[in-house]
């Protein structure tokens, strides 16, 4: 039976006390006094009790965010002051990163090697948006209206933002939502996922330490109902959501009541296309880790692996051999490459797809099952899996699995693979592996996805926009496009009085 993680020092934040909501600059219990448990997916044991926000807590948090936006000192902060807050927060995140990434590893199971490698991105995001805080401006626009009328645009913060996040990168996703709020002068209520709420709560404490005024960043932990109450709340001006397409649709519908601005980053079933001329020594680990990173719990994972027929059989065998070398295990071990899935629910979902793949005739060349023996038996571990003999119509080739599962399929021509690559409701990411720049360009233009990676996969940068086409959502995160999601544009017309003679 399970015997991992018996001997380590937990972070001071996990002090055995129930973790509280952050509302109006104070850590408070929920009005109902209810709490819920968050579990360590490596052991199945309870990690912490967390306050469960209900409707009254959402009302309190939204009211605090509204006050901070309209009346509080924040509303008078100059861009330079907001920049200073972001830079202080970046310094604090850097200083406390070991603690933050340990919390994530315990709460959602990401290997410590992965969560600690996110230091550069987390800190860089905050510093990048700190730069944008002072670089945002409207335009003066020459118009053709009769008379002496001058026109210009003002960029203004959109208002109170409801940010609703999933569990697959708790800290990084929370930073990605907080940074543009602080840069633009909005205020927010952040709802992290019930499965991994701890690092966002610790980040909330660091926001206060960084001098973010009360009410600017509120954090409410709870279940989907709390997210639903936020999405429908008349006091919210904008929703920024990351998660499943199904919940994204609920949110869009709920947002209609007061015409909230909405940006949604949703699921994917991304094609990863390997041409016969590719550098296969790069493409084999590239194709594998495009899915196996974070145990496949990444929205843009390249789960439909299209391989040109002449190299297909050899290539998929090499990916399978590579998968067998990956170290699946205790995420606290720095050598571990794949940790557990986040929850028993996710485990059930993924093993359900493993069964459906086999039942439909796919062949698992590696993995294909939960790890049920030895020290990992109590956790939610699944062996990295590559399925061959897959057809486009199988559920494993069509639906988002969100686990370490690749569905490999051969292709013949570039036209065919572009058509099949696009034959999905999703459009988040895509990969192309080739030495032929012409093929790379044709595929990049032909695929209807928000990102295309050529001879690499899942490269991300604070300055480069990320988001979906089709049912992978709309709106962009990162880059100057991201700021626009949090800004209103106001046109101002000024008629000059006639010249006095
Ligand atoms: P969900 O979309 O269900 O949840 C994301 C967030 O939305 C959570 O904070 C959740 O709360 C909240 N939520 C749930 N219901 C509502 C609602 N009606 N209104 C407003 N907010 C709501 O994702 P899951 O975390 O459950 O994952 C399920 C699947 O979604 C995955 O298997 C994967 O396919 C996909 N997914 C995609 C991600 C992406 O990055 N694109 C990320 C994560 C998941 P709570 O969890 O607390 O109940």
């Amino acid at each position: 039976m399970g015997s991992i993680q018996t001997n380590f020092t937990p972070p001071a934040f996990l002090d055995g006390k129930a973790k509280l909501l952050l509302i109006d600059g104070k850590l408070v219990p929920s009005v109902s006094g209810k709490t819920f448990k968050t579990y360590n997916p490596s052991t199945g044991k309870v990690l912490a009790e967390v306050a469960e926000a209900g409707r009254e807590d959402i009302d309190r948090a939204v009211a605090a965010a509204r006050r901070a936006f309209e009346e509080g000192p924040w509303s008078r902060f100059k861009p330079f002051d907001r920049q200073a807050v972001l830079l202080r927060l970046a310094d604090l995140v850097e200083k406390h990163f070991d603690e933050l990434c340990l919390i994530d590893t315990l709460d959602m199971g990401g290997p410590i090697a992965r969560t600690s490698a996110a230091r550069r991105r987390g800190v860089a995001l905050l510093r990048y948006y700190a730069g944008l805080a002072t670089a945002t401006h409207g335009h003066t626009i020459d118009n053709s209206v009769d008379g002496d009328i001058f026109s210009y645009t003002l960029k203004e913060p959109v208002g109170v933002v409801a940010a609703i996040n999933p569990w697959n990168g708790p800290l990084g996703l929370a930073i990605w939502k907080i940074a543009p709020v602080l840069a633009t002068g909005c205020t927010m209520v952040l709802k992290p996922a019930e499965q991994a709420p701890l690092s966002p709560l610790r980040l909330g404490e660091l926001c206060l330490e960084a001098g973010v005024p009360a009410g600017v960043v509120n954090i409410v932990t709870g279940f989907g109902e709390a997210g639903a109450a936020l999405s429908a709340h008349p006091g919210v001006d904008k929703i920024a959501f990351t998660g499943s397409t199904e919940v994204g649709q609920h949110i869009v519908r709920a947002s209609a009541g007061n015409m909230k601005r909405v940006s949604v980053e949703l699921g994917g079933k991304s094609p990863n296309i390997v041409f016969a001329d590719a550098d296969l020594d790069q493409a084999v680990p590239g194709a594998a880790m495009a899915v196996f990173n974070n145990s496949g719990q990444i929205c843009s994972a390249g789960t439909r692996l299209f391989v040109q027929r002449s190299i297909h059989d050899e290539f998929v065998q090499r990916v399978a051999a590579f998968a067998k070398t990956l170290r699946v295990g205790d995420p606290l071990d720095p050598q571990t490459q794949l940790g557990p899935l986040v929850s028993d629910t996710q485990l059930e979902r993924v093993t359900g797809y493993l069964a459906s793949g086999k039942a439909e005739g796919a062949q698992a060349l590696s993995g294909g099952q939960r790890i049920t023996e030895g020290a990992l038996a109590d956790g939610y571990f699944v062996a990295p899996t590559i399925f061959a003999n897959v057809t486009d119509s199988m559920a494993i080739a069509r639906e988002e699995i969100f686990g370490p599962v690749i569905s490999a399929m051969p292709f013949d021509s570039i036209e065919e693979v572009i058509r099949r690559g696009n034959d999905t409701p999703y459009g988040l990411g895509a990969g192309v592996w080739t030495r032929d720049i012409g093929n790379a360009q044709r595929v990049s233009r032909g695929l209807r996805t928000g990102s295309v990676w050529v001879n690499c996969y899942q490269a991300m940068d604070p300055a480069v926009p990320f988001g979906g086409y089709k049912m992978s959502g709309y709106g962009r995160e990162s880059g100057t496009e991201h700021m626009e999601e949090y800004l209103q544009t106001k046109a101002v017309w000024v008629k000059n009085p006639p010249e006095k003679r």
Side-chain angles (χ1 to χ4, degrees), residues 39-217:
Y39 293 87
N40 180 338
S42 303
T43 61
K45 292 189 184 137
V46 175
L47 194 58
E49 292 273 343
V50 184
E52 181 187 332
R55 191 171 290 276
E56 305 94 326
D57 303 294
I58 298 297
D59 286 343
R60 282 195 300 166
V62 172
R66 175 62 56 195
R67 273 194 309 277
F69 181 68
E70 288 178 2
E71 302 158 24
W74 183 244
S75 61
R76 296 182 293 279
F77 269 44
K78 299 283 185 196
F80 176 74
D81 304 320
R82 298 201 301 271
Q83 180 180 61
V85 166
L86 274 157
L87 290 173
R88 283 198 297 274
L89 182 58
D91 290 347
L92 285 168
V93 166
E94 193 163 39
K95 181 171 158 201
H96 293 278
F97 205 84
D98 289 345
E99 177 196 357
L100 290 162
C101 67
L102 178 57
I103 294 172
D104 265 4
T105 289
L106 294 170
D107 206 11
M108 65 77 61
I112 197 76
R114 176 180 168 80
T115 56
S116 51
R119 178 190 306 260
R120 183 177 158 85
R121 174 168 166 78
V123 174
L125 273 168
L126 290 161
R127 297 212 170 113
Y128 174 77
Y129 286 90
L132 291 183
T134 54
T136 298
H137 52 76
H139 296 287
T140 58
I141 305 167
D142 202 9
N143 64 70
S144 306
V145 172
D146 281 348
D148 187 7
I149 301 188
F150 169 61
S151 47
Y152 64 94
T153 55
L154 287 175
K155 291 290 181 183
E156 298 183 335
V158 77
V160 174
V161 176
I164 303 175
N165 270 346
W167 38 261
N168 57 338
L171 177 67
L173 289 167
I175 291 175
W176 220 2
K177 294 288 193 292
I178 289 174
V181 162
L182 296 181
T184 52
C186 291
T187 60
M188 79 188 304
V189 180
L190 170 67
K191 197 206 88 62
E194 75 198 51
Q195 297 86 347
L198 296 176
S199 66
L201 288 172
R202 180 69 185 111
L203 184 63
E205 293 181 354
L206 296 181
C207 284
L208 297 182
E209 204 178 323
V212 175
V216 173
V217 173

Side-chain angles (χ1 to χ4, degrees), residues 164 231 239 241-255 262-267 471-474:
I164 303 175
S231 319
I239 307 176
F241 173 72
T242 304
S244 62
T245 296
E246 189 190 348
V247 171
Q249 289 173 316
H250 284 301
I251 283 176
V252 171
R253 282 191 284 269
S255 71
V262 182
S263 51
V264 279
E265 197 265 278
L266 309 173
M471 287 180 79
S472 293
Y474 44 81

Side-chain angles (χ1 to χ4, degrees), residues 77-423:
F77 269 44
K78 299 283 185 196
F80 176 74
D81 304 320
R82 298 201 301 271
Q83 180 180 61
V85 166
L86 274 157
L87 290 173
R88 283 198 297 274
L89 182 58
D91 290 347
L92 285 168
V93 166
E94 193 163 39
K95 181 171 158 201
H96 293 278
F97 205 84
D98 289 345
E99 177 196 357
L100 290 162
C101 67
L102 178 57
I103 294 172
D104 265 4
T105 289
L106 294 170
D107 206 11
M108 65 77 61
I112 197 76
R114 176 180 168 80
T115 56
S116 51
R119 178 190 306 260
R120 183 177 158 85
R121 174 168 166 78
V123 174
L125 273 168
L126 290 161
R127 297 212 170 113
Y128 174 77
Y129 286 90
L132 291 183
T134 54
T136 298
H137 52 76
H139 296 287
T140 58
I141 305 167
D142 202 9
N143 64 70
S144 306
V145 172
D146 281 348
D148 187 7
I149 301 188
F150 169 61
S151 47
Y152 64 94
T153 55
L154 287 175
K155 291 290 181 183
E156 298 183 335
V158 77
V160 174
V161 176
I164 303 175
N165 270 346
W167 38 261
N168 57 338
L171 177 67
L173 289 167
I175 291 175
W176 220 2
K177 294 288 193 292
I178 289 174
V181 162
L182 296 181
T184 52
C186 291
T187 60
M188 79 188 304
V189 180
L190 170 67
K191 197 206 88 62
E194 75 198 51
Q195 297 86 347
L198 296 176
S199 66
L201 288 172
R202 180 69 185 111
L203 184 63
E205 293 181 354
L206 296 181
C207 284
L208 297 182
E209 204 178 323
V212 175
V216 173
V217 173
N218 304 277
I219 304 185
V220 290
T221 44
F223 297 105
E225 298 82 62
L230 260 179
S231 319
H233 203 291
V236 169
D237 300 300
K238 174 196 160 59
I239 307 176
F241 173 72
T242 304
S244 62
T245 296
E246 189 190 348
V247 171
Q249 289 173 316
H250 284 301
I251 283 176
V252 171
R253 282 191 284 269
S255 71
N258 64 335
M259 289 295 181
K260 294 176 180 68
R261 287 270 290 276
V262 182
S263 51
V264 279
E265 197 265 278
L266 309 173
K269 193 72 190 171
S270 299
N272 198 9
I273 298 168
V274 182
F275 284 90
D277 71 345
D279 177 341
L280 300 188
D281 292 339
Q282 272 190 37
V284 167
M289 298 318 289
V291 176
F292 298 146
N293 264 328
N294 216 28
S295 293
Q297 302 167 118
I298 300 185
C299 48
S300 55
T303 46
R304 286 186 299 148
L305 177 61
F306 291 101
V307 186
Q308 205 157 25
R309 194 176 300 277
S310 60
I311 59 158
H312 174 271
D313 293 355
E314 179 204 337
F315 190 83
V316 295
Q317 288 296 350
R318 283 182 66 180
V319 174
F322 180 86
K324 287 174 191 163
T325 68
L326 292 171
R327 286 182 294 271
V328 184
D330 179 356
L332 286 181
D333 178 345
Q335 301 302 317
T336 292
Q337 291 166 290
L338 270 79
L341 299 173
V342 72
S343 63
D344 50 355
T345 311
Q346 197 60 19
L347 176 70
E348 217 172 288
R349 176 189 168 102
V350 173
T351 50
Y353 278 108
L354 295 177
S356 103
K358 289 174 196 164
E360 285 194 274
Q363 182 195 0
L365 302 180
S366 69
Q369 74 284 320
R370 176 185 183 181
I371 298 174
T372 51
E373 280 154 24
L376 305 185
D378 284 348
Y380 313 131
F381 293 87
V382 168
T385 301
I386 173 162
F387 273 125
N389 288 342
V390 178
T391 61
D392 291 322
S393 61
M394 288 181 187
I396 56 166
R398 302 208 64 77
E399 295 169 19
E400 186 175 42
I401 300 174
F402 235 62
V405 185
I406 297 175
S407 300
M409 294 165 280
F411 75 91
D412 293 297
S413 72
I414 186 165
E415 295 77 17
E416 172 207 337
V417 80
I418 291 172
R419 179 182 51 73
R420 289 170 63 199
N422 281 331
D423 185 17

Side-chain angles (χ1 to χ4, degrees), residues 18-21 28-37 49-57 221-223 225:
K19 296 293 133 194
L20 303 175
L21 311 174
V28 293
S30 60
V31 169
S32 68
K34 281 192 195 165
T35 59
F36 65 97
K37 294 176 172 55
E49 292 273 343
V50 184
E52 181 187 332
R55 191 171 290 276
E56 305 94 326
D57 303 294
T221 44
F223 297 105
E225 298 82 62

